[in-house]
Amino acid sequence: MRPRDLLSKWDNLLFLVFIFAVLFRQVWLIAFSVAVSVVFTAARIWNYYALSRITYRRLWRYRRGFPGESLTVRILTANEKILPLPWLRTTDPWPLAVGPQDETLLSPSHIADQGNLVNLYSLRWFEKVERTVALQLRQRGIYDLGPTQLQSGDPFGLFDNAVEHDNQEYLTVFPEVLPLERLKLDAEDPFGDRRARRRLVEDPTLPIGVRDYHPEDDFRHIHWPATARSGQMQVRMFQPVSSQVMVVCLNVSTSEQPWLGTYHTMLEQLVKVTATLVVHGVEDGYAVGLISNGCLAHADRPFRILPGRSRDQLSLLLQTLAAVTPYTTTPFEKYLVKAASNLPYGATLLIVTALVTPALLETLISIRRYRTHTTLICLQAAPPPTIPGVRVLHLPFSP
């Protein structure tokens, strides 16, 4: 029987007792029934207003970090009304991967890899209570916090009430950045295009005019409308740019067939290698981009971040890698061919993969004609085959 139904029966019983006492002139019984009714009424009113104007806030200095780091969160709970609260219980769902350093602070939850941060309060009128919790960042990812459940009631323990406080927030744990030496890259020329970075090339996506045709010009750059108007062979002129663009291509597939599942330890290593390339690329002066066939958390499609040198580019790249999941909607080979056609001309491609399949080999052979600076970084146990025109690095991974 629900508490509300039980209390309704008590109300009916008290009413019958009151009528009986009046009919038989039992003063003490009249006083008793009235007193109990007054207590019930006061308890109902108290319970009705108990959770009004209650605030629960998480106060952060930082909400992002790397695995192994620690953060602090201040939890501010306030009763912003004149009615005091004899008891208040807050239940905040909290992922274990970013849980408190003292793991006993979390109570068990029915959801896997999650606990509940429970706090009990007794708040006077217009009182605020602040508590500080030290958190330990344990694993890469973007984690949801909240919503928080608030529960309170009357001081007599007759009623209780619960509401859900919509205060969802996100806590980001970036992937670990490895030392560049562990990737076995050449310290003098880590990305394999040092000479090309100083050479000025023409970007065919940036035309700036036309000029007369020279024998060494590419036949594909002939401007036929201008040739028809002038009566002489004309070719397009393009904006000269320096090839300081790098795009990291991450293949999140760890098995040849999707139904074979995901090797999560291998996936984390792939993300770490990608993060290392991204960070060192930005530090080395590249405009760094990122593409992957993996979907992001709370998304259902592959992502692409165009190269850029903005102040927030590195933060965007690392936050995107923090959200990478093993779920794919497109084979990596098809996605790479489609995405490579939209990348800047002369960009250096760094392809990070756990497997080198025949389909990927065919794709690399086909794109090497117009992507002269391509590096394949493979983490599978067996050495990958040699691909003419493609720099191959073998980093066998063992957990």
Side-chain angles (χ1 to χ4, degrees):
M1 183 179 296
R2 294 180 300 177
R4 183 175 297 177
D5 297 336
L6 180 61
L7 290 170
S8 178
K9 291 182 180 296
W10 275 103
D11 290 341
N12 295 335
L13 180 60
L14 286 172
F15 179 73
L16 293 176
V17 170
F18 178 79
I19 297 299
F20 175 81
V22 171
L23 291 177
F24 290 93
R25 298 181 180 180
Q26 299 293 323
V27 178
W28 69 271
L29 199 55
I30 293 175
F32 173 78
S33 60
V34 170
V36 174
S37 298
V38 170
V39 170
F40 275 13
T41 302
R44 284 193 178 95
I45 295 175
W46 203 308
N47 179 68
Y48 181 80
Y49 289 103
L51 292 178
S52 64
R53 302 184 66 182
I54 297 294
T55 60
Y56 179 92
R57 298 172 57 197
R58 309 181 199 92
L59 304 178
W60 305 87
R61 185 175 182 183
Y62 302 106
R63 283 193 293 173
R64 300 182 296 181
F66 290 89
E69 294 182 344
S70 59
L71 302 177
T72 57
V73 56
R74 293 181 295 124
I75 298 177
L76 179 64
T77 308
N79 178 22
E80 299 178 348
K81 61 181 181 298
I82 196 171
L83 183 69
L85 284 184
W87 65 277
L88 172 67
R89 177 189 176 97
T90 63
T91 304
D92 206 0
W94 210 279
L96 299 179
V98 290
Q101 293 178 350
D102 183 3
E103 298 181 359
T104 60
L105 295 179
L106 293 183
S107 63
S109 171
H110 65 283
I111 301 177
D113 300 324
Q114 181 173 291
N116 292 319
L117 184 62
V118 180
N119 285 292
L120 296 175
Y121 304 90
S122 179
L123 300 175
R124 298 189 300 269
W125 48 89
F126 300 105
E127 182 181 9
K128 297 181 180 180
V129 176
E130 183 178 299
R131 295 176 180 175
T132 302
V133 179
L135 305 177
Q136 184 69 35
L137 307 184
R138 299 178 175 90
Q139 186 177 350
R140 173 193 69 90
I142 295 182
Y143 300 96
D144 297 343
L145 304 177
T148 305
Q149 186 183 59
L150 308 180
Q151 186 178 9
S152 186
D154 65 278
F156 309 107
L158 298 176
F159 302 93
D160 60 43
N161 191 14
V163 297
E164 196 171 77
H165 189 40
D166 187 13
N167 59 346
Q168 282 190 290
E169 295 178 301
Y170 297 96
L171 190 59
T172 302
V173 182
F174 297 135
E176 179 185 352
V177 178
L178 305 174
L180 193 61
E181 295 77 16
R182 291 183 57 179
L183 302 189
K184 300 179 181 179
L185 296 174
D186 187 355
E188 295 296 328
D189 188 9
F191 306 119
D193 68 342
R194 182 70 63 183
R195 289 173 298 176
R197 290 181 60 190
R198 295 183 176 274
R199 180 173 56 90
L200 291 181
V201 298
E202 293 182 337
D203 190 342
T205 64
L206 301 174
I208 58 174
V210 296
R211 60 171 175 79
D212 292 339
Y213 173 80
H214 296 159
E216 65 274 10
D217 289 332
D218 193 328
F219 193 73
R220 293 172 298 178
H221 295 165
I222 295 177
H223 194 293
W224 295 109
T227 299
R229 287 194 300 269
S230 64
Q232 295 182 352
M233 193 75 74
Q234 302 290 312
V235 294
R236 295 184 179 88
M237 296 174 59
F238 302 103
Q239 177 71 40
V241 296
S242 178
S243 178
Q244 292 185 336
V245 179
M246 184 178 76
V247 180
V248 185
C249 311
L250 171 62
N251 180 14
V252 301
S253 300
T254 57
S255 56
E256 293 191 22
Q257 304 299 338
W259 58 81
L260 296 177
T262 301
Y263 185 9
H264 290 282
T265 308
M266 174 68 81
L267 175 62
E268 292 304 314
Q269 184 68 12
L270 289 169
V271 176
K272 291 178 184 178
V273 171
T274 304
T276 304
L277 295 173
V278 164
V279 170
H280 288 284
V282 171
E283 293 177 350
D284 206 25
Y286 284 82
V288 181
L290 177 65
I291 64 174
S292 175
N293 61 330
C295 297
L296 300 180
H298 312 296
D300 59 352
R301 62 183 63 186
F303 64 88
R304 179 179 62 187
I305 299 177
L306 295 178
R309 289 190 177 90
S310 69
R311 183 176 56 183
D312 300 327
Q313 183 74 1
L314 180 58
S315 175
L316 173 62
L317 294 169
L318 290 177
Q319 188 163 345
T320 302
L321 287 174
V324 168
T325 67
Y327 303 105
T328 61
T329 58
T330 306
F332 179 69
E333 298 79 15
K334 294 182 179 180
Y335 185 69
L336 180 61
V337 171
K338 182 179 179 181
S341 61
N342 298 320
L343 297 178
Y345 180 77
T348 298
L349 295 187
L350 299 177
I351 300 171
V352 182
T353 181
L355 301 171
V356 179
T357 61
L360 180 57
L361 285 175
E362 294 180 5
T363 301
L364 293 176
I365 292 174
S366 65
I367 68 174
R368 68 179 179 179
R369 301 177 221 174
Y370 55 94
R371 296 293 174 186
T372 56
H373 307 293
T374 302
T375 299
L376 174 67
I377 301 177
C378 176
L379 273 63
Q380 67 183 12
T386 301
I387 307 173
V390 177
R391 187 185 186 194
V392 179
L393 297 178
H394 183 216
L395 304 176
F397 171 72
S398 57

